[in-house]
Amino acid sequence: MSAKIGNQAFVNKALQDNNLQAKKKFGQNFLTDQNILTSIVDSASITKNDAVIEIGPGLGSLTERLCDVAGFVLCYEIDKDLIPVLENNLSSFSNYKILNKDILEVNIDNDIDTYLKDYENVYVVANLPYYITTPIIFKLLTTTNKIKRLVMMMQLEVALRICGKPRTKDYNALSIAIQYRCFATKVCNVPRTVFIPAPNVDSAVVRLDIYDEKKYNVKNEIFFFELIKECFSQRRKTLVNNLSNKYEKNKIIKYLTDNNIKINVRSEELSIDDFIKLSDYLSNEQQS
Ligand code: SAM
């Protein structure tokens, strides 16, 4: 393996030598902790038969590790100023491609067909730009079915919500939307002090294993996603009160009583299966 490039001295020198400053508008916080880089890469369980998509390679600290273990690494980096630095830092590798593009604008499915079709599995591994964490995750989960696993660093608060379980304060619409498609686990917490510059939040690494076959089946997904958003719109309110502006109150109450659920139940007490049943019931009722 080549020399590790992601330590503090390296990041400072790379920025200085290239007359660069971390750009806040692109969420640039460069990771400088070798142990965390190791945890990210190890937790993705990558082999040479696999391809990895990295979002925001930055100066290449994580990319270097990924090139070591993966068959191929496809990177999307929005900041054109970083491309020459990145290419220089990765000069000992040839199994990567950097696209100077905005991840939210690209057609990932087409890019996988173009660059990664010969690999057994496609994984995403990234230290995400935090200003667009959720749009990126939703894009990856909804615009292609070719990705099997995502291992991503994100703000701790979002990580806790994504992995949130019923009856905890972290469980909300995001927990359900993600866990409907993936098995979510938190890999590790990451303090803000290991980045240059330090962000003003702590972080965590999350692993999402996307279910091969749909684990849950809901009749109308658009209706379901709208419904869960409404269910959690005001946390202190009961489920009935959150829903009664948009859906018929007597129908929600009938559903709860028919299913032996107390009428004053709060959304955080219900499982994903409960929300699916509620969604199927209400969407059917709306049609009839
Ligand atoms: N991977 C590097 C590391 O761990 O040190 C940098 C991570 S930094 C948190 C986020 C990276 O995402 C930056 O390099 C930034 O320029 C890039 N980025 C921000 N917005 C992006 C977008 N819309 N599409 C692609 N890359 C983006």
Side-chain angles (χ1 to χ4, degrees):
M1 180 168 177
S2 59
K4 306 282 192 309
I5 59 177
N7 59 36
Q8 230 176 29
F10 165 83
V11 170
N12 279 326
K13 188 168 176 345
L15 291 173
Q16 208 173 4
D17 288 355
N18 294 284
N19 212 7
L20 291 171
Q21 280 190 336
K23 296 185 179 110
K24 215 173 171 179
K25 68 171 177 179
F26 290 146
Q28 290 177 357
N29 301 98
F30 301 105
L31 184 56
T32 63
D33 188 300
Q34 299 299 323
N35 294 330
I36 290 164
L37 284 165
T38 305
S39 295
I40 295 174
V41 176
D42 287 356
S43 66
S45 313
I46 303 160
T47 74
K48 280 287 169 192
N49 297 329
D50 304 322
V52 173
I53 295 176
E54 186 189 4
I55 298 150
L59 299 167
S61 323
L62 181 57
T63 326
E64 177 195 48
R65 303 291 198 103
L66 295 172
C67 287
D68 255 335
V69 295
F72 196 82
V73 182
L74 175 65
C75 305
Y76 296 101
E77 175 52 66
I78 198 170
D79 185 357
K80 67 173 175 15
D81 295 343
L82 291 178
I83 309 294
V85 187
L86 194 50
E87 280 175 346
N88 184 41
N89 290 340
L90 297 172
S91 59
S92 58
F93 297 98
S94 54
N95 59 335
Y96 71 91
K97 169 90 187 161
I98 301 166
L99 299 176
N100 179 207
K101 289 187 177 166
D102 179 343
I103 182 68
L104 296 180
E105 299 294 325
V106 298
N107 184 324
I108 297 176
D109 217 41
N110 281 354
D111 288 347
I112 293 176
D113 283 341
T114 309
Y115 299 103
L116 312 177
K117 67 176 182 325
D118 296 332
Y119 295 89
E120 221 168 87
N121 302 297
V122 178
Y123 302 139
V124 169
V125 181
N127 173 11
L128 290 178
Y130 294 175
Y131 71 106
I132 44 172
T133 300
T134 23
I136 291 177
I137 298 175
F138 278 104
K139 173 154 189 170
L140 296 169
L141 292 181
T142 56
T143 63
T144 175
N145 56 14
K146 299 186 174 108
I147 296 171
K148 292 216 168 145
R149 179 180 301 145
L150 316 171
V151 174
M152 295 168 303
M153 171 106 72
M154 61 190 71
Q155 42 297 44
L156 178 63
E157 197 194 343
V158 180
L160 293 174
R161 290 202 187 290
I162 284 179
C163 302
K165 294 285 174 245
R167 296 174 186 278
T168 68
K169 70 174 175 32
D170 297 314
Y171 185 62
N172 72 353
L174 183 63
S175 327
I176 297 161
I178 302 287
Q179 291 173 39
Y180 171 74
R181 292 285 320 280
C182 320
F183 185 77
T185 34
K186 181 155 75 68
V187 174
C188 60
N189 285 358
V190 181
R192 61 191 79 185
T193 48
V194 300
F195 297 90
I196 292 178
N200 44 21
V201 289
D202 289 320
S203 302
V205 178
V206 168
R207 170 169 162 161
L208 301 178
D209 288 289
I210 300 171
Y211 297 123
D212 284 343
E213 298 289 318
K214 270 196 173 169
K215 176 173 159 114
Y216 300 105
N217 270 305
V218 68
K219 286 190 184 131
N220 181 340
E221 281 193 356
I222 296 174
F223 186 93
F224 173 70
F225 288 120
E226 275 302 310
L227 176 76
I228 54 174
K229 238 195 266 167
E230 291 298 324
C231 288
F232 287 89
S233 53
Q234 294 200 46
R235 228 185 154 80
R236 282 193 314 254
K237 283 191 179 180
T238 62
L239 177 90
V240 173
N241 285 342
N242 268 327
L243 293 184
S244 47
N245 285 340
K246 269 209 156 171
Y247 309 88
E248 278 183 56
K249 189 170 181 173
N250 58 340
K251 287 189 175 151
I252 307 162
I253 292 177
K254 177 170 176 2
Y255 171 83
L256 293 175
T257 14
D258 286 355
N259 286 278
N260 293 324
I261 302 173
K262 60 183 187 200
I263 288 172
N264 63 348
V265 71
R266 286 175 196 279
S267 300
E268 65 257 30
E269 297 175 76
L270 297 183
S271 67
I272 298 184
D273 282 315
D274 293 327
F275 285 111
I276 289 173
K277 278 195 235 153
L278 175 63
S279 172
D280 287 350
Y281 173 79
L282 290 177
S283 61
N284 258 351
E285 287 289 309
Q286 276 203 343
Q287 278 168 7
S288 55

